[in-house]
Amino acid sequence: MVVMSNELRVAVVGATGAVGRTMTKILEERAFPVGAFVPLASERSAGTRVSFRGRDHTVGVLSLEALRGVDLALLSAGAEVSRSIVPEAAAAGTTCIDNSSAFRMDPDVPLSIPEVNPEALEGSPRIVSVPNCTTIAAVLAIGPLHRAAGLRSLVMSSYQSVSGAGMKGTRELAEQIEKLHGQEETLGDADFDSLPVGEVVGKTIAYNVVPKIGLFERGGYTGEEAKLMAEPRKILGLPDLPVVATSVRVPVPVGHGVSVMATFSRPIGVDEAREILRGAPSVELRDDPEHDVYPSPLESAGLDVALVGRIRQVEHDPNALALFSCADNLRLGAALGAVHIAEHLFT
């Protein structure tokens, strides 16, 4: 296929996965200037068909040769795959926007939420990392407040849907709910060792929450918590920011929520915070306690904004606020995050 004038040859890597399919859909919805669409995946998925702009396209096998002549590659194929191919592809001229953790903490690779730190994309970098989906949900709310009042510390607890672990996580929840259907009233007396357990979450996730996402690392934090502590520092340009995070898997099919306590360098009240967030890009304020208006993760499903609410002053500290932010982890937290970067670089 010949690339049309002013349009790009665009590859979606991991095109058959949940994030890759969502990327493809968003490119179409947002009329991104795609002149040639190149879906790529592993050998196992090669040969399958994906639709783009009303036409079926055959999925090819990811390789450097397949990326030759590609202007833009949107990758969602895992850190190992990205490490193996992105540096060479970028050196050959392809701009690579990567959804994995492979390059997020590389000091030479921008980690960007364009609505928060567009300056990271200056100079048209060849490799850009998309932050963790939970980080995006949190920082879309925190970033505008930081610009106004100077962030000094963060304490966060994330409540992450099973789809964050992929389709296997979603299936695991559904299977466990089916197995336990009709036994709900007996769970209080059940032998925990007899309950269904899957290999994705590691403990029963149906009717439960599991405060472990990823492997335990230094200091007892998990890999997911380490990301949630490190990434806001890089995005906000605050390398010494004190951050504490706890990440919890919850029995929700889609949508991540983050509870945030943020301390600032000056007093900031609830009304000021609401006004700031009301005008923030990719944020929808849902914060009206008198009328029972507040966000929840499932309400964020399919939306292109983070829902932010439950904004409260921390007692005895006028410099601190508590809030709750939710986002669709597959759409806004991954696929749209990559497309937003591409739009900033190319349109």
Side-chain angles (χ1 to χ4, degrees):
M1 184 183 296
V2 177
V3 179
M4 296 170 60
S5 177
N6 298 321
E7 293 192 330
L8 306 170
R9 180 176 288 270
V10 178
V12 173
V13 178
T16 60
V19 174
R21 288 183 180 275
T22 305
M23 280 179 180
T24 300
K25 180 180 178 183
I26 291 172
L27 288 171
E28 189 170 354
E29 289 174 353
R30 296 174 73 88
F32 190 82
V34 179
F37 177 68
V38 184
L40 300 171
S42 65
E43 290 187 8
R44 182 181 58 195
S45 299
T48 57
R49 308 280 282 177
V50 296
S51 178
F52 180 71
R53 292 181 180 165
R55 292 184 56 190
D56 283 345
H57 297 257
T58 301
V59 176
V61 178
L62 172 64
S63 66
L64 281 172
E65 182 60 31
L67 289 174
R68 192 177 304 279
V70 166
D71 301 294
L72 169 67
L74 304 172
L75 298 101
S76 185
E80 185 176 345
V81 171
S82 290
R83 289 190 193 100
S84 71
I85 205 159
V86 163
E88 288 184 72
T94 298
T95 297
C96 298
I97 300 176
D98 183 40
N99 261 293
S100 81
S101 61
F103 306 103
R104 286 177 184 155
M105 300 318 297
D106 185 326
D108 296 323
V109 174
L111 181 67
S112 181
I113 305 173
E115 302 94 322
V116 175
N117 64 330
E119 65 280 358
L121 301 176
E122 292 176 0
S124 300
R126 288 291 189 195
I127 304 173
V128 182
S129 279
V130 182
N132 179 277
C133 48
T134 314
T135 300
I136 290 176
V139 175
L140 280 172
I142 295 164
L145 299 174
H146 163 61
R147 284 195 297 271
L151 188 64
R152 289 294 173 264
S153 68
L154 279 176
V155 178
M156 295 183 285
S157 293
S158 65
Y159 306 92
Q160 300 182 215
S161 66
V162 290
S163 60
M167 288 299 297
K168 289 182 179 179
T170 304
R171 253 191 319 266
E172 192 168 290
L173 172 61
E175 289 169 358
Q176 291 181 14
I177 290 174
E178 185 176 358
K179 287 178 181 178
L180 293 172
H181 180 65
Q183 303 179 47
E184 289 84 357
E185 293 185 5
T186 68
L187 288 177
D189 297 319
D191 175 7
F192 189 78
D193 292 334
S194 70
L195 297 177
V197 176
E199 60 183 36
V200 176
V201 178
K203 288 192 177 186
T204 303
I205 185 60
Y207 307 112
N208 196 23
V209 300
V210 178
K212 176 181 178 286
I213 304 177
L215 300 175
F216 287 117
E217 299 182 351
R218 186 179 62 183
Y221 291 94
T222 66
E224 189 74 7
E225 290 160 352
K227 296 175 193 174
L228 193 50
M229 292 188 290
E231 292 179 18
R233 296 182 181 121
K234 184 174 180 179
I235 295 165
L236 299 174
L238 299 171
D240 299 320
L241 181 72
V243 186
V244 177
T246 302
S247 295
V248 182
R249 188 72 73 194
V250 296
V252 173
V254 64
H256 288 358
V258 190
S259 172
V260 176
M261 191 186 84
T263 303
F264 299 92
S265 61
R266 66 163 177 84
I268 180 170
V270 171
D271 289 342
E272 181 183 357
R274 286 175 179 157
E275 190 60 31
I276 291 167
L277 292 170
R278 191 173 284 113
S282 297
V283 169
E284 182 178 315
L285 185 67
R286 292 196 181 180
D287 192 39
D288 187 355
E290 291 185 7
H291 296 93
D292 210 29
V293 175
Y294 57 92
S296 68
L298 198 54
E299 293 172 77
S300 72
L303 300 183
D304 291 347
V305 293
L307 305 181
V308 182
R310 296 298 322 279
I311 303 172
R312 291 147 285 154
Q313 197 82 56
V314 175
E315 290 188 9
H316 315 302
D317 190 349
N319 289 27
L321 293 171
L323 57 84
F324 195 75
S325 182
C326 313
D328 183 325
N329 51 295
L330 297 177
R331 188 172 174 90
L332 180 61
L336 185 58
V339 175
H340 274 164
I341 292 169
E343 289 174 336
H344 192 90
L345 291 174
F346 287 99
T347 63

